[in-house]
């Protein structure tokens, strides 16, 4: 699915390109390529339950998009059961998400080949979806293969020293690609007689902090740019509301946007929720946020989805 502006004449294209004057809460994001905006992602968003050890946050994606037409949303599907892309496509069609999903021109898009936020919004394709395996560009082009279009850092970190921004998972080459940092700390729980990794909630305010040893700020603002020459596009965290808005402050600094603290609601009644930070609400991204959030549903699809709930601070 191409953006409408790309199908028009040069005169109409110029008009369309300027139609979106505010994107994800900030005007400066409209002219930036998708790959050049750093966003906060909500790790394991499908596990939105007070009784689930991995509980995080979840959103009704289509409903939210309809209510927030100037927002770009990113979904990352973790296909642990190796289901065919057509199975996910069926869920997208049922939800109406296929009609608002961005389809790239080719299976592998270089960092400088992505549309701008303004183009995604003007083209009515504000939803960008990646999947870690079995993506089928020919059959379902809007479910994009993750690892040929971005790389990730290590995802099973139990020691803060592991937040070192080294390349872990990718397909082909990492040259000229976006990247995602997995900045969430695990601990273990003796569940069902075995050792099971669960979020280390006791360390959340340190892990999600804007600065300091083991913090998101240290990895995203210092370690990563020093190693790779640019910051990450995606900052995947647990419980984004912990840290008094610090995760949004980090994203704001990466995007060159002034961070303005705002009220942020607790998710699932979690303790330690901040009273300040970027707003995540049905009224949109008040602090210049892109959403990277989880698509969850019953059965295997629920266990396969990871949504990136993106929030970026703005004026």
């Amino acid at each position: 699915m191409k953006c409408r502006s790309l199908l028009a004449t040069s005169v109409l294209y110029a008009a369309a390109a300027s139609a979106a004057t505010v994107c994800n809460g900030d005007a400066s994001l409209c002219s930036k390529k998708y790959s050049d905006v750093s966003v906060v992602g909500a790790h394991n968003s499908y596990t939105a339950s007070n009784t689930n050890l991995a509980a995080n946050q979840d959103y009704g994606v289509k409903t939210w998009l309809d209510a927030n037409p100037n927002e770009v949303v990113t979904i990352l599907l973790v296909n642990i059961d190796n289901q065919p892309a057509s199975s996910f496509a069926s869920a997208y069609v049922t939800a109406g998400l296929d009609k608002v999903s961005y389809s790239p021109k080719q299976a592998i898009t270089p960092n400088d080949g992505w549309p701008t936020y303004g183009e995604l919004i003007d083209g009515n394709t504000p939803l960008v979806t990646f999947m870690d395996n079995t993506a089928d560009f020919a059959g379902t082009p809007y479910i994009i293969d993750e690892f040929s279009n971005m790389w990730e850092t290590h995802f099973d970190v139990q020691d803060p020293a592991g937040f070192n921004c080294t390349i872990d998972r990718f397909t082909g080459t990492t040259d000229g690609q976006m990247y995602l940092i997995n900045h969430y700390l695990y601990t273990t729980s003796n569940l069902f007689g075995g050792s099971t990794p669960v979020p280390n909630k006791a360390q959340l305010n340190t892990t999600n902090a804007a600065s300091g040893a083991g913090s998101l700020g240290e990895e995203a603002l210092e370690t990563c740019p020093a190693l790779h020459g640019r910051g990450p596009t995606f900052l995947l965290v647990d419980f984004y509301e912990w840290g008094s808005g610090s995760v949004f402050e980090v994203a704001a600094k990466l995007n060159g946007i002034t961070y303005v603290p705002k009220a942020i609601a607790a998710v699932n009644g979690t303790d330690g929720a901040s009273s300040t930070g970027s707003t995540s609400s049905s009224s949109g991204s008040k602090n210049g946020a892109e959403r990277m959030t989880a698509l969850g549903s019953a059965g295997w699809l629920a266990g396969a989805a990871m949504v990136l709930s993106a929030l970026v601070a703005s004026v």
Side-chain angles (χ1 to χ4, degrees):
M1 183 185 301
K2 296 181 179 179
C3 296
R4 286 198 299 266
S5 61
L6 298 179
L7 302 177
T9 64
S10 58
V11 174
L12 292 177
Y13 173 79
S18 62
T21 57
V22 176
C23 300
N24 293 75
D26 192 81
S28 69
L29 300 183
C30 292
S31 60
K32 287 189 175 183
K33 289 186 178 295
Y34 174 81
S35 53
D36 291 334
V37 178
S38 295
V39 300
V40 175
H43 175 236
N44 280 353
S45 302
Y46 70 91
T47 54
S49 166
N50 286 325
T51 60
N52 192 313
L53 282 173
N56 209 300
Q57 50 277 326
D58 193 18
Y59 300 92
V61 179
K62 183 61 166 64
T63 300
W64 197 93
L65 280 171
D66 289 342
N68 298 274
N70 292 322
E71 305 282 333
V72 174
V73 172
T74 298
I75 293 175
L76 173 58
L77 298 170
V78 179
N79 188 7
I80 57 176
D81 289 329
N82 299 314
Q83 293 291 319
S86 58
S87 295
F88 291 87
S90 177
Y92 270 54
V93 170
T94 299
L97 291 175
D98 59 316
K99 293 179 172 57
V100 294
S101 292
Y102 171 69
S103 295
K105 295 180 180 179
Q106 54 196 28
I108 300 176
T109 302
N111 193 60
D112 60 359
W114 292 94
T116 65
Y117 267 35
E119 289 168 347
L120 288 169
I121 292 169
D122 291 341
N124 195 31
T125 56
L127 179 61
V128 183
T129 299
F130 297 95
M131 188 158 69
D132 64 340
N133 66 75
T134 77
D136 176 15
F137 180 74
T140 312
Y142 57 82
I143 297 181
I144 305 165
D145 181 68
E146 178 192 4
F147 290 117
S148 60
N149 285 281
M150 72 174 83
W151 56 266
E152 285 193 15
T153 62
H154 190 61
F155 66 92
D156 188 17
V157 177
Q158 297 193 33
D159 182 340
F163 295 135
N164 51 28
C165 207
T166 55
I167 298 171
D168 185 60
R169 294 187 293 172
F170 65 95
T171 298
T173 178
T174 61
D175 293 340
Q177 299 290 10
M178 302 181 291
Y179 68 96
L180 177 153
I181 61 171
N182 292 293
H183 196 92
Y184 44 88
L185 193 65
Y186 279 132
T187 187
T188 56
S189 174
N190 293 325
L191 188 65
F192 305 122
S195 181
T196 302
V198 296
N200 190 334
K201 296 177 70 174
Q203 294 297 316
L204 276 171
N205 283 328
T206 297
T207 304
N208 287 0
S211 62
S215 69
L216 177 66
E218 180 185 55
E219 184 173 25
L221 296 170
E222 301 174 21
T223 307
C224 291
L227 284 176
H228 308 295
R230 66 189 302 266
T233 302
F234 308 110
L235 319 174
L236 204 56
V237 302
D238 274 339
F239 299 98
Y240 68 81
E241 75 275 19
W242 289 62
S244 299
S246 53
V247 296
F248 312 129
E249 181 180 354
V250 173
K253 289 179 179 179
L254 285 168
N255 289 312
I257 295 173
T258 301
Y259 173 66
V260 179
K262 291 182 181 292
I264 179 171
V267 176
N268 288 329
T270 53
D271 57 353
S274 72
S275 59
T276 58
S278 288
T279 298
S280 170
S281 69
S282 60
S283 60
S285 301
K286 303 300 185 184
N287 247 346
E290 179 208 11
R291 294 185 163 267
M292 194 178 187
T293 193
L295 180 67
S297 126
W300 61 265
L301 183 57
M306 178 188 299
V307 172
L308 305 167
S309 167
L311 299 109
V312 180
S314 162
V315 291

